[in-house]
Amino acid sequence: HAKDDGKGVVRRFDPSRFAETAQRRKDENDLRRALAECQFEVHYQPIVDLQGNYTVGVEALVRWRHPLRGLLSPGDFIDLTESLGLMHRLGLWVLREACVQAVQWQREHPGFKLNVNLSATQLASPELTDEIRTVLTDTGMPADLLVLELTESAALTDLTESARVLDSLKSLGVRIALDDFGTGFSSLSHLGALPVDVVKIDKSFVQAMQETTANGSVAEAVLHIARTFNLSPVAEGVEDEVQAEMLRELACTQAQGYHFAKPMPASELTGLLTRQTTKVLQRR
Ligand code: C2E
Ligand code: MG
Ligand code: MG
Ligand code: MG
């Protein structure tokens, strides 16, 4: 299979390259079909009040129910979705699906909040604000109960532009959270420049809290910053009671993590909320 490209260089057939390309083409087809056939699901992870240990809302997290490979997490398909230019469409589907579901939960639990992740490509789209407005209107989702999560890297590439986009989103009445805070070369001055309401402390810093290294103090530092800028803190990736207790002592108000609950299908979350009814209602 070696061939001469005319410049005297012999290129050999590379079977591993070929297999890679073939696999990628197959993944692309799978993904396009998945969107067409709606093989995606939204799972929900509780966000809890750290003092009372009750659920105040959820974060929507997309899953792909692959016909052969089973339930896939974003790590397995988000990059491909982005590179195929399909992330905007998928993200909008997640938002709509999650809003329909949250409105159901709000009937029993008024004030129940919904967090939805936005990708950098969504943020870059000039249609985003109009699309979100349409979803809010169609689903009856109260804007002030919707929190849009974006990562620092997505928000901070072009500060002026980001501030403009976030202002436009905020004009809908929604709230904005900075996700994975502390991992994205954050500059503190950015926090003052952007209309952000919530900071989510990245799980790497929560999990480092028991260490004596400098990393062990980042969660505390982020909580100070949050207070300084009047932002609500949410700690991510809380996996045990020791971490939960340390966060309470640092006056962190809300948290999310396997210690409280893993992401789960809507039906399971409904069950969990039913068992917690009195506690959810307490917060009103
Ligand atoms: P994220 O927004 O920071 O979401 C939190 C991730 O941490 C989730 O992973 C969640 O399952 C995981 N997690 C929660 N509690 C714990 C814990 O106690 N320990 C550990 N080790 N992990 C925990 P998941 O669902 O795999 O999602 C990964 C990322 O994919 C998300 O990170 C988010 O950036 C992205 N993503 C998920 N759904 C969407 C979506 O609908 N749109 C966009 N644009 N991105 C999404
Ligand atoms: Mg998130
Ligand atoms: Mg995060
Ligand atoms: Mg993350």
Side-chain angles (χ1 to χ4, degrees):
H1 290 68
K3 74 164 194 254
D4 194 323
D5 70 358
K7 290 177 213 131
V9 180
V10 175
R11 275 196 282 149
R12 286 177 202 290
F13 172 72
D14 179 346
S16 71
R17 258 278 189 76
F18 179 78
E20 230 171 71
T21 315
Q23 183 59 47
R24 193 184 149 84
R25 201 165 302 135
K26 192 185 168 311
D27 289 346
E28 283 185 25
N29 283 334
D30 279 6
L31 195 63
R32 289 187 197 282
R33 170 171 310 164
L35 270 168
E37 295 182 357
C38 220
Q39 295 171 4
F40 293 97
E41 296 176 12
V42 183
H43 285 203
Y44 300 90
Q45 185 177 36
I47 298 173
V48 302
D49 177 285
L50 265 174
Q51 295 307 318
N53 283 335
Y54 52 87
T55 306
V56 295
V58 284
E59 177 174 4
L61 295 159
V62 68
R63 298 288 181 262
W64 178 2
R65 182 77 62 184
H66 193 286
L68 300 174
R69 295 161 67 196
L71 192 68
L72 301 183
S73 286
D76 299 319
F77 60 88
I78 286 273
D79 286 350
L80 182 67
T81 313
E82 285 277 8
S83 71
L84 292 177
L86 298 171
M87 196 55 224
H88 188 91
R89 209 172 120 203
L90 179 60
L92 205 60
W93 177 82
V94 170
L95 176 69
R96 182 173 288 270
E97 176 80 11
C99 283
V100 168
Q101 185 55 64
V103 167
Q104 295 296 314
W105 287 323
Q106 283 156 4
R107 288 189 185 167
E108 296 288 322
H109 312 288
F112 194 77
K113 288 206 285 285
L114 170 68
N115 286 36
V116 177
N117 294 285
L118 286 188
S119 69
T121 28
Q122 283 179 281
L123 213 62
S125 161
E127 278 93 53
L128 185 65
T129 302
D130 284 342
E131 287 167 342
I132 294 178
R133 184 187 293 109
T134 304
V135 170
L136 293 173
T137 310
D138 290 355
T139 61
M141 174 75 190
D144 61 337
L145 298 179
L146 178 63
V147 183
L148 299 173
E149 297 192 2
L150 38 119
T151 57
E152 289 167 84
S153 44
L156 300 181
T157 39
D158 178 345
L159 203 61
T160 321
E161 174 59 10
S162 294
R164 199 189 59 72
V165 174
L166 295 190
D167 278 333
S168 158
L169 290 175
K170 290 219 57 171
S171 73
L172 298 171
V174 302
R175 304 203 304 147
I176 307 288
L178 273 189
D179 204 352
D180 305 344
F181 190 80
T183 61
F185 303 102
S186 6
S187 156
L188 293 186
S189 59
H190 292 161
L191 273 180
L194 293 172
V196 172
D197 307 281
V198 176
V199 280
K200 298 192 76 173
I201 307 168
D202 190 70
K203 52 178 167 280
S204 60
F205 302 123
V206 170
Q207 282 155 16
M209 276 192 312
Q210 284 125 301
E211 296 169 12
T212 49
T213 59
N215 249 0
S217 315
V218 175
E220 183 171 4
V222 173
L223 284 162
H224 282 302
I225 293 164
R227 256 190 296 283
T228 307
F229 286 96
N230 204 18
L231 306 169
S232 313
V234 180
E236 297 192 284
V238 178
E239 292 186 353
D240 57 46
E241 181 55 28
V242 176
Q243 292 164 352
E245 194 48 40
M246 289 177 92
L247 288 162
R248 282 184 201 104
E249 274 162 27
L250 295 171
C252 181
T253 42
Q254 294 183 353
Q256 198 178 335
Y258 298 163
H259 177 56
F260 304 103
K262 291 196 168 175
M264 61 187 91
S267 56
E268 270 177 52
L269 195 97
T270 304
L272 185 144
L273 289 179
T274 308
R275 293 191 296 277
Q276 291 190 349
T277 302
T278 48
K279 282 182 176 170
V280 176
L281 291 176
Q282 248 174 30
R283 64 178 286 274
R284 292 179 63 213

